[in-house]
Amino acid sequence: MKIDVVSIFPGYFDALELSLLGKARERGIIDLQVHDLRESAHDKHRTVDDTPTGGGAGMVMKPEPWGVALDGILSAAPADADPLVIFPSPAGDVFTQSMARELATESHLVFGCGRYEGIDQRVFDEYAARGRVRLVSIGDYVLNGGEVATIAMIEAIGRLVPGVVGNPESLVEESHEEDGLLEYPSFTKPATWRDRAVPQVLLSGNHAAISTWRDEQRIERTRRVRPELLPPEHRGESRGRHAAE
Ligand code: 6GU
């Protein structure tokens, strides 16, 4: 998978050289290129922002540097590549595990990281008219720019690209995968730590009992923390209580 990122803070993306994704980059599974938007600003001061037309607080990113940067990336892409341009934005569709799975099948993603109050609307319109564009939010809170959101998305998408995670089974048995329930709690050795014992069933060697316990834990945890994720067959009365209570 080819990933291009445009940002005025390319240094943010050094974090992606660490661990798993760094290895995938070394092995050529993920080809990540980060572009400094300022290099596409051709005035003396390499200006990337200006005051909002019509008035208002803050600054808006000018369209010209974005045009130069994105034209450069898109014209270098193979004719049959059909890249998807993603603008991280709190006004976008919410990023989920299912969106990550969908995006992991793309061959070329381009992330345009806005700062300030946003990017001039004509940039979205221009690239939506020429190809595929999506605005994507990582949740209902406000960040100062798209960089941290892009890092989160690249990590979630990148680990789903075949060959990036060594043991593909570890991708299935986790929160938000398979059946949408949260993960069960995990333990390792020692069997007792600071007077806290590992649940007995996990030491029993009874794999059926362990599997049942883990399923119960996943349902209880989901009911407690994220009841809206519970599938219909697990809604209704909680364990150990009557519905009328
Ligand atoms: Cl994608 N960008 C910004 N600036 N803030 C956000 C976001 C994105 N997702 C949630 N908050």
Side-chain angles (χ1 to χ4, degrees), residues 87-91 114 136-146 149-150 153:
F87 292 102
S89 162
V136 182
S137 164
I138 63 163
D140 292 338
Y141 42 83
V142 179
L143 303 170
N144 280 332
T150 295
M153 289 189 267

Short mmCIF file of all heavy atoms in Angstrom, two decimals, residues 87-91 114 136-146 149-150 153, ligand 1:
data_model
loop_
_atom_site.label_atom_id
_atom_site.label_comp_id
_atom_site.label_asym_id
_atom_site.label_seq_id
_atom_site.Cartn_x
_atom_site.Cartn_y
_atom_site.Cartn_z
N PHE A 87 -9.27 13.73 3.95
CA PHE A 87 -9.00 14.91 4.74
C PHE A 87 -9.52 14.66 6.16
O PHE A 87 -10.74 14.56 6.35
CB PHE A 87 -9.67 16.15 4.15
CG PHE A 87 -9.10 16.59 2.83
CD1 PHE A 87 -9.75 16.30 1.64
CD2 PHE A 87 -7.89 17.29 2.78
CE1 PHE A 87 -9.22 16.70 0.42
CE2 PHE A 87 -7.35 17.69 1.56
CZ PHE A 87 -8.02 17.39 0.37
N PRO A 88 -8.63 14.52 7.14
CA PRO A 88 -9.09 14.38 8.52
C PRO A 88 -9.84 15.65 8.90
O PRO A 88 -9.33 16.75 8.67
CB PRO A 88 -7.80 14.24 9.34
CG PRO A 88 -6.71 14.03 8.36
CD PRO A 88 -7.16 14.58 7.05
N SER A 89 -11.04 15.49 9.44
CA SER A 89 -11.84 16.66 9.78
C SER A 89 -12.88 16.27 10.82
O SER A 89 -13.53 15.23 10.69
CB SER A 89 -12.56 17.16 8.53
OG SER A 89 -13.64 18.00 8.90
N PRO A 90 -13.05 17.11 11.86
CA PRO A 90 -14.09 16.80 12.84
C PRO A 90 -15.48 16.82 12.20
O PRO A 90 -16.45 16.35 12.79
CB PRO A 90 -13.94 17.89 13.90
CG PRO A 90 -12.99 18.88 13.37
CD PRO A 90 -12.30 18.32 12.18
N ALA A 91 -15.59 17.32 10.97
CA ALA A 91 -16.87 17.36 10.26
C ALA A 91 -17.07 16.15 9.35
O ALA A 91 -18.05 16.08 8.61
CB ALA A 91 -16.97 18.65 9.45
N GLY A 114 -5.09 19.24 7.62
CA GLY A 114 -5.36 20.66 7.79
C GLY A 114 -4.99 21.11 9.19
O GLY A 114 -4.96 20.33 10.13
N VAL A 136 -12.89 12.52 7.10
CA VAL A 136 -12.99 11.50 8.14
C VAL A 136 -12.61 12.08 9.50
O VAL A 136 -11.56 12.73 9.64
CB VAL A 136 -12.11 10.27 7.82
CG1 VAL A 136 -12.28 9.21 8.89
CG2 VAL A 136 -12.45 9.69 6.45
N SER A 137 -13.45 11.84 10.49
CA SER A 137 -13.22 12.27 11.88
C SER A 137 -12.85 11.06 12.72
O SER A 137 -13.33 9.96 12.47
CB SER A 137 -14.51 12.89 12.43
OG SER A 137 -14.46 12.99 13.84
N ILE A 138 -11.99 11.23 13.72
CA ILE A 138 -11.70 10.09 14.59
C ILE A 138 -12.52 10.12 15.88
O ILE A 138 -12.31 9.29 16.76
CB ILE A 138 -10.18 9.90 14.88
CG1 ILE A 138 -9.60 11.09 15.63
CG2 ILE A 138 -9.43 9.63 13.59
CD1 ILE A 138 -8.24 10.76 16.28
N GLY A 139 -13.46 11.02 16.00
CA GLY A 139 -14.32 11.00 17.19
C GLY A 139 -14.81 12.39 17.54
O GLY A 139 -14.39 13.38 16.95
N ASP A 140 -15.72 12.45 18.51
CA ASP A 140 -16.37 13.71 18.83
C ASP A 140 -15.60 14.52 19.86
O ASP A 140 -16.01 14.62 21.03
CB ASP A 140 -17.81 13.44 19.30
CG ASP A 140 -18.67 12.92 18.16
OD1 ASP A 140 -18.30 13.16 16.99
OD2 ASP A 140 -19.70 12.27 18.44
N TYR A 141 -14.48 15.03 19.44
CA TYR A 141 -13.66 15.94 20.24
C TYR A 141 -12.83 16.72 19.25
O TYR A 141 -12.79 16.37 18.07
CB TYR A 141 -12.77 15.16 21.23
CG TYR A 141 -12.15 13.94 20.62
CD1 TYR A 141 -10.99 14.05 19.85
CD2 TYR A 141 -12.75 12.69 20.74
CE1 TYR A 141 -10.44 12.93 19.25
CE2 TYR A 141 -12.20 11.58 20.14
CZ TYR A 141 -11.05 11.69 19.40
OH TYR A 141 -10.51 10.59 18.80
N VAL A 142 -12.17 17.80 19.71
CA VAL A 142 -11.48 18.68 18.77
C VAL A 142 -9.97 18.60 18.94
O VAL A 142 -9.46 18.76 20.05
CB VAL A 142 -11.97 20.14 18.92
CG1 VAL A 142 -11.23 21.06 17.95
CG2 VAL A 142 -13.48 20.22 18.66
N LEU A 143 -9.28 18.33 17.85
CA LEU A 143 -7.82 18.36 17.82
C LEU A 143 -7.39 19.65 17.12
O LEU A 143 -8.18 20.28 16.45
CB LEU A 143 -7.29 17.15 17.03
CG LEU A 143 -7.73 15.77 17.53
CD1 LEU A 143 -7.33 14.70 16.51
CD2 LEU A 143 -7.11 15.47 18.88
N ASN A 144 -6.12 20.01 17.27
CA ASN A 144 -5.64 21.24 16.62
C ASN A 144 -5.38 21.06 15.14
O ASN A 144 -5.23 22.03 14.41
CB ASN A 144 -4.36 21.73 17.30
CG ASN A 144 -4.68 22.47 18.59
OD1 ASN A 144 -5.75 23.05 18.73
ND2 ASN A 144 -3.76 22.43 19.52
N GLY A 145 -5.29 19.82 14.70
CA GLY A 145 -5.02 19.57 13.29
C GLY A 145 -5.19 18.12 12.98
O GLY A 145 -5.46 17.31 13.87
N GLY A 146 -5.04 17.77 11.72
CA GLY A 146 -5.29 16.41 11.27
C GLY A 146 -4.15 15.41 11.51
O GLY A 146 -4.32 14.22 11.25
N ALA A 149 -4.82 12.58 14.14
CA ALA A 149 -5.90 11.74 13.58
C ALA A 149 -5.35 10.85 12.47
O ALA A 149 -5.69 9.67 12.38
CB ALA A 149 -7.03 12.63 13.06
N THR A 150 -4.49 11.41 11.64
CA THR A 150 -3.91 10.64 10.53
C THR A 150 -3.02 9.52 11.06
O THR A 150 -3.06 8.39 10.55
CB THR A 150 -3.13 11.57 9.58
OG1 THR A 150 -4.07 12.47 8.99
CG2 THR A 150 -2.40 10.81 8.50
N MET A 153 -5.26 6.77 12.22
CA MET A 153 -5.87 6.03 11.10
C MET A 153 -4.85 5.15 10.39
O MET A 153 -5.13 4.00 10.05
CB MET A 153 -6.52 7.01 10.11
CG MET A 153 -7.78 7.65 10.68
SD MET A 153 -8.70 8.59 9.43
CE MET A 153 -8.01 10.22 9.66
CL1 6GU B 1 -9.86 14.12 11.89
N1 6GU B 1 -9.34 16.48 12.93
C1 6GU B 1 -9.42 17.39 13.90
N2 6GU B 1 -8.81 18.56 13.76
N3 6GU B 1 -10.10 17.20 15.02
C2 6GU B 1 -10.69 16.02 15.15
C3 6GU B 1 -10.64 15.02 14.19
C4 6GU B 1 -9.94 15.29 13.07
N4 6GU B 1 -11.33 13.96 14.61
C5 6GU B 1 -11.81 14.30 15.79
N5 6GU B 1 -11.42 15.55 16.13
#
